[in-house]
Each structure stands twice: as structure tokens, then as C-alpha cells.
Amino acid sequence: MTLAPATHPLAVGPDGFLRDGRPHLLLSGALHYFRVHPRQWADRLAHAAALGLNTVETYVPWNLHAPRRGEFRTDGACDLGGFLDAVAAAGLDAVVRPGPYICAEWDNGGLPVWLTRSGVRVRTDDPGYLAAVDEFLGAVYDVVRPRQADRGGPVVLVQVENEYGAYPTGTDAAARAAHLQHLVDVTRAAGITVPLTTVDQPTDEMLAAGTLPELLTTGSFGGRAADRLETLRRHQPDGPLVCSEFWIGWFDHWGSHHGTTSVADAAAELEAMLSRGAGVNVYMFHGGTNFGFTNGANDKGTYQPTITSYDYDALLDEAGRPTPKFHAFRDVIARYAEVPAPVPVSHPEPAPVLAARFSAARPLAGLPTGPELAWTGTEPPVLDDLEVASGEVVRIAWISGTSCGAQGPTLFEVGEVRDRVTVLLDGVRLGTLFREHHDRSLVLPPHAAGARVDLLVEDAGRVNYGARLGETKGLVGPLLVAGEPLRDAVVCPVDHEALAALVTPDAGADVDRLVGPVLAAAELQVAGPVDLFLDTSRWGRGVAWFNGFALGRYWRHGPQRSLYVPAPVVRAGRNVVTVLEFDGAPDAVVTTLPDLALGHTEA
């Protein structure tokens, strides 16, 4: 491993980091700027400093910054530069992990749909892929370069790729090494001079396949710290020992339980690392929220979309409040570094409990949803080809009798559902096919010729890890009605943001129940800006907005039963809650809870 020049504020020494020539223990925590409202960054960073951390780490999601090729957003939640400046203002260092693949339980692992639908072989030496990567990294490094530590900024380390040793590229060791070297060359050519790292799970196979000799190799694990560090040292005899993803919790899938870990066990593993002089990045220090339609998914035979909450059983909960694990970790850190006092208190508890009725509801089938595109083939276009934003719905409609003659009970069939399709007959919901259930068909009841059939096709989150990374979304394969291919249909992307503005609360027009698919709105009076927790337990399945801010998905399937509303989107006085409800709610009410409701655990 090549040692970094000693002139850097943070350098790689023979057995540890050096800060201005003196030994330095890396105490870092993961905090993803894109999962936290920008006006709450300072609060979360103040808590990181109060914990005794000297560094925070963040990924950079390519698809959020560049939803279209040639674009690089730096506004709002995409303000990477603003976040790094806030890190510096808090007196902390920063580790930047731009991927270009990030995993992170994030939609498509951070890769843009325009990239994966182009047919390139991602994470390989495919020229089309590398050209796009070079553009993205160039834009990221334009933000990072002037904020490096040797120029007075907070950035002390930059990671190359992400758990590359675990990805099945289908190429040999030489090609994998050449790919990593290309990323290193692009990074250095862009003026990044701080030490570069890689991360892999500490197995012999993954470590051998995921790094280069001149890079600092770090590990990702959640237990057996002593054994993992020994494996790391065997692969890299000198340099700092670092666990750059110390998993202290886990993410949740819809229909599962809320994952938690033992506070005592996690604290003991932290002690095991720090007592050996190993640096650590706690994953997650603060998990935050998969706002909007940004959650990822796993699929190892059964599709499992990640929930909206990214609480992760972290040191700060989803709302940014210290947990018992925070205080246990603070006690451990205090034995190895100076810990400031006191811990800031910025979250009044409990949150206000409020209630209101929905006062406007319009069936989705009757709403304008955009231009209709004629489709005359035997297979519908996938969502990727329609260039819809991640998570948005596509409506496929046809008039019964124009492409198939049967009007009795008929079977509707599809090759594969990715990821939901809700079937309506003349505006009435018949049912929903779910990918995780491996659903393929649904019976259409007797109906007259001329009846309208609508399919609402949903992307519930793209796979972020493994061989199905980058797969297309929508209805895959031919659509069959009574065994005959469907033709002469229309396809219409549904703009969620435009939809949310189509329904406004109507005072005195209370709604008794929600019959989905329906767009509904309610007025909620709040005394002032404060964190809120929407109670979703009475709703079915859908998406919610608060004053136009997309909170994310909800589902009675659980485990989470609340949606976090960050205080900066709450106004004093009148606030509007909007939901796109696909199933139904027997009581059309909006209520808030005094706290998060993340669901049952295994315990």
C-alpha cells in the first residue's frame, strides 16, 4: 500500500492514521444527507459531535443528482456541497463515498434508470458505462475537490466503488482490477488528493476481488470484530485497520418485522475495535427516511421492497433523537477520546396528537393523468422505456371487446409483474397482483362489450443488490385476455406530483371512507413547525404528501405504522395531507401519533 504524503491533514501511516503527523483514531458515523431534510443537517451533526465522533460519512446517490443524463442537481436534498460545509461548520471531518454504485437500500443502488435501461454492463469496463461514470464522478469531484482537508475543507477520505468484491461482474481478476484502476485514475485526474479506500465484507474471496494494493482496504461487518479485523490485517499487513461499515442495526422489508440489535452486544463490538486501535464508521449513526419513491429492494428468489423508514435501529432514531444505543456508544467512546458535553436537546417529546377528516376524494380512474400513448404490440412497454420517474404509476387501459371477444368470466394473465398491478373494471377495483406473491393472473368478472379495463402498474422500488440490479420495471411479457394477446390499448404515465395538486381539502365536505384507487386530501391545523408522525394504521396501501412534500409509501402490511413528517415542511396553521390510496380505508381520517410506530420486533 502506498502511503499518502505526510503533508495531508489526515495521512495513512504504517499502522494507523496520522493527523498532522500524530496518531489519529477515526471515529465516524454514517449520515446520508439525502435521507435528512437539509434544514435538519445541523442538528444531526451537532449530535454526532456530542457523541464524540470526529468524522461523518456519506454516500452520493447518482440517480438523485442525475435523473437525466447531462444533469447534475445540487439543490435541496442534492446539495452535497452545502452538506459538506455544514460538516465543516460542526467541526467534523467527512468521508465521501460516491460509488458510482452505492447499494444503501436505495433505489437501483443509486444507478440512474437512464443508464441501466441503455443496456450497458454496469460495474465493468463497458465503454458506455465508463463514459457515463466519468461524467458523474467529474461532477461530484467538482464539489468535493475544493472541500478536501488539504485545502481547508472537511473531506479526509474518498472511497472507490462499493463492496465490489461481492458483485458478480462475470469478468476475471485482471478485468476487475482494471476497472478499479480506471476509477482511481479518474479520481486522481479530477484533483482528489486525499487517501482513497475500498470496502468489502472481510472474507478472503471478497477482499481479494474488491481492492487494489495501493488502496486502503476496509471492512463491512456487524459482529465478530476481532476475527474480522484479523482477516483484514492478513490481506493488508500495514496501514490502519478500519471497519468502514459497522452494522449496528438493519433495514426492514414490508411484511417483515422491525429489525433491532442488542445495545450491549453492539457496544461490546465497538469496544473490541477501539481497544485494538481500529477506526470505525458506525452504520448508521442516523438512518433517516426514504422520502418519496427512493427505497430499494432485495430479490433472492422473492421480491422484498424496503420500507420508507430507514431508522436502522441507529444511534439517532428516524426523527433524530438519541437512543439508548447512542448513550451506550458515547460511554465506550469516552474511554478512547474526548467526548463533549452536554448532548443537545432539540426534540420536544411527545409530538402533538392531532386529527382531521379527509374532506376531498376523487377516484383515480376519473382524474386526468397525462397524454395517452397508443400501444399496438403484443407486449406493453416497460416503465423504463416510458422514462417515468422512479416509483411513478403507469396506467394501461383498453375497451373490452375490441381486442378479445369474450365478455363472460375471463382470465387476465401477465408474464411477470414488476412490482404491482391493480386491475379496475369500469373504475371499480377488482384486485391487485403482487410481485412478492408471484401473482400472474386475475379473473375478470362477466361484463358487456365496451367496458373499460384499467391496469395501474407500480414500481415499488428497484433492487439495490445482487444479480437483479438494473432490471426493468412494469409488466414483462405478453398480456393475455381469455388466452389471446391484448392489443389496441393505451398507455399513460401518471405524474405523481401533478396528481397531488389536483385535490384540495373542502371545508364541510367530510368523506366517510376511502375506496381506492383514490386521491384524497385533508386539512390539518398545527400550532407551529414541529416533527409529526402520521398514523398510517387505518389506511391501506399508498403514498402520502404533506404540504406537497412526498413523505413516502405506506402499507397496512407493516411493520411501520407511521410516516415521519420533518418539522421544516410543517407550517403554523393550515397544512394539507394528501394520499394516493390504492386499496381503501374504512374510516377516512388523518391522525398523528405521539411517537414513531416502527412495528413489532423479533423479540
Side-chain angles (χ1 to χ4, degrees), residues 173-455:
R176 297 178 72 97
H179 180 65
L180 290 173
Q181 188 62 56
H182 176 89
L183 299 180
V184 170
D185 293 344
V186 168
T187 301
R188 291 305 190 202
I192 300 304
T193 54
V194 298
L196 304 182
T197 71
T198 60
V199 63
D200 275 292
Q201 296 176 46
T203 70
D204 291 332
E205 297 78 13
M206 292 185 187
L207 289 173
T211 192
L212 295 173
E214 65 267 29
L215 301 179
L216 174 61
T217 302
T218 72
S220 55
F221 52 86
R224 297 173 54 202
D227 293 341
R228 308 300 192 192
L229 293 176
E230 183 179 335
T231 302
L232 274 174
R233 182 54 80 206
R234 188 168 66 250
H235 279 261
Q236 190 161 259
D238 57 10
L241 281 173
V242 180
C243 175
S244 60
E245 280 192 26
F246 173 34
W247 304 324
I248 64 165
W250 208 242
F251 51 90
D252 300 340
H253 293 129
W254 291 113
S256 185
H257 60 275
H258 172 48
T260 60
T261 60
S262 161
V263 173
D265 289 352
E269 292 292 344
L270 176 64
E271 179 88 51
M273 286 185 278
L274 298 186
S275 67
R276 289 167 171 78
V280 65
N281 177 57
V282 177
Y283 194 100
M284 298 288 299
F285 163 68
H286 174 50
T289 307
N290 294 316
F291 290 121
F293 309 95
T294 57
N295 66 275
N298 289 95
D299 192 333
K300 297 180 180 180
T302 297
Y303 176 71
Q304 297 178 295
T306 305
I307 67 172
T308 298
S309 171
Y310 200 65
D311 179 86
Y312 209 88
D313 197 30
L315 302 188
L316 300 183
D317 70 10
E318 186 182 5
R321 299 167 299 186
T323 65
K325 202 175 287 183
F326 176 99
H327 296 288
F329 274 41
R330 195 167 185 263
D331 290 343
V332 174
I333 291 171
R335 294 195 278 273
Y336 299 91
E338 182 179 351
V339 173
V343 176
V345 178
S346 55
H347 299 82
E349 297 179 306
V353 176
L354 309 168
R357 294 202 69 85
F358 284 102
S359 57
R362 296 180 63 183
L364 186 60
L367 290 172
T369 54
E372 295 184 342
L373 310 173
W375 159 48
T376 57
T378 59
E379 295 190 11
V382 293
L383 273 59
D384 307 54
D385 293 336
L386 298 172
E387 300 186 20
V388 298
S390 289
E392 291 201 344
V393 174
V394 167
R395 178 169 59 85
I396 299 175
W398 72 91
I399 304 300
S400 178
T402 61
S403 60
C404 58
Q407 284 85 49
T410 53
L411 190 66
F412 163 72
E413 302 172 76
V414 60
E416 184 181 355
V417 175
R418 299 183 190 165
D419 301 307
R420 316 265 192 269
V421 55
T422 298
V423 184
L424 292 83
L425 181 63
D426 281 338
V428 177
R429 178 178 176 273
L430 299 180
T432 301
L433 305 180
F434 291 91
R435 174 177 177 177
E436 51 264 62
H437 300 164
H438 304 283
D439 291 334
R440 295 287 187 271
S441 62
L442 183 143
V443 174
L444 301 178
H447 56 278
R452 180 185 176 97
V453 182
D454 286 277
L455 309 178

Side-chain angles (χ1 to χ4, degrees), residues 59-195:
Y59 281 123
V60 181
W62 186 355
N63 54 5
L64 191 67
H65 285 272
R68 287 165 291 277
R69 186 160 193 178
E71 180 179 4
F72 189 80
R73 293 182 52 195
T74 56
D75 59 313
C78 295
D79 189 6
L80 172 61
F83 176 73
L84 294 175
D85 293 344
V87 171
L92 298 167
D93 293 335
V95 176
V96 178
R97 304 206 285 168
Y101 162 77
I102 65 170
C103 185
E105 294 71 61
W106 188 259
D107 188 62
N108 219 27
L111 300 178
V113 174
W114 58 258
L115 174 76
T116 53
R117 80 160 181 265
S118 70
V120 300
R121 292 178 295 115
V122 301
R123 306 179 75 186
T124 71
D125 60 357
D126 183 302
Y129 175 68
L130 292 182
V133 165
D134 294 354
E135 291 175 16
F136 167 64
L137 291 181
V140 172
Y141 293 146
D142 283 346
V143 175
V144 173
R145 183 174 52 252
R147 294 176 170 86
Q148 295 178 95
D150 60 343
R151 305 185 189 195
V155 179
V156 294
L157 297 171
V158 169
Q159 181 179 292
V160 175
E161 243 286 344
N162 189 54
E163 294 189 328
Y164 191 54
Y167 185 68
T169 63
T171 57
D172 60 20
R176 297 178 72 97
H179 180 65
L180 290 173
Q181 188 62 56
H182 176 89
L183 299 180
V184 170
D185 293 344
V186 168
T187 301
R188 291 305 190 202
I192 300 304
T193 54
V194 298

Side-chain angles (χ1 to χ4, degrees), residues 24 94 98 124 174 178 209 239 496 577:
H24 177 79
T124 71
H496 278 145
V577 178

Side-chain angles (χ1 to χ4, degrees), residues 396-549:
I396 299 175
W398 72 91
I399 304 300
S400 178
T402 61
S403 60
C404 58
Q407 284 85 49
T410 53
L411 190 66
F412 163 72
E413 302 172 76
V414 60
E416 184 181 355
V417 175
R418 299 183 190 165
D419 301 307
R420 316 265 192 269
V421 55
T422 298
V423 184
L424 292 83
L425 181 63
D426 281 338
V428 177
R429 178 178 176 273
L430 299 180
T432 301
L433 305 180
F434 291 91
R435 174 177 177 177
E436 51 264 62
H437 300 164
H438 304 283
D439 291 334
R440 295 287 187 271
S441 62
L442 183 143
V443 174
L444 301 178
H447 56 278
R452 180 185 176 97
V453 182
D454 286 277
L455 309 178
L456 301 180
V457 185
E458 302 171 60
D459 160 14
R462 292 175 184 265
V463 170
N464 55 261
Y465 184 87
R468 301 196 73 151
L469 181 70
E471 68 179 3
T472 56
K473 289 287 189 172
L475 298 182
V476 180
L479 303 186
L480 303 178
V481 179
E484 296 295 326
L486 175 66
R487 296 183 177 87
D488 303 322
V490 294
V491 178
C492 176
V494 177
D495 185 336
H496 278 145
E497 299 304 322
L499 265 187
L502 290 177
V503 177
T504 56
D506 182 5
D510 290 349
V511 177
D512 290 332
R513 59 186 59 83
L514 300 181
V515 180
V518 63
L519 191 68
E523 179 180 308
L524 193 65
Q525 293 290 329
V526 187
V530 63
D531 285 348
L532 297 175
F533 309 107
L534 285 186
D535 180 2
T536 63
S537 64
R538 304 187 189 188
W539 303 342
R541 181 179 59 86
V543 183
W545 292 262
F546 197 97
N547 291 332
F549 180 86

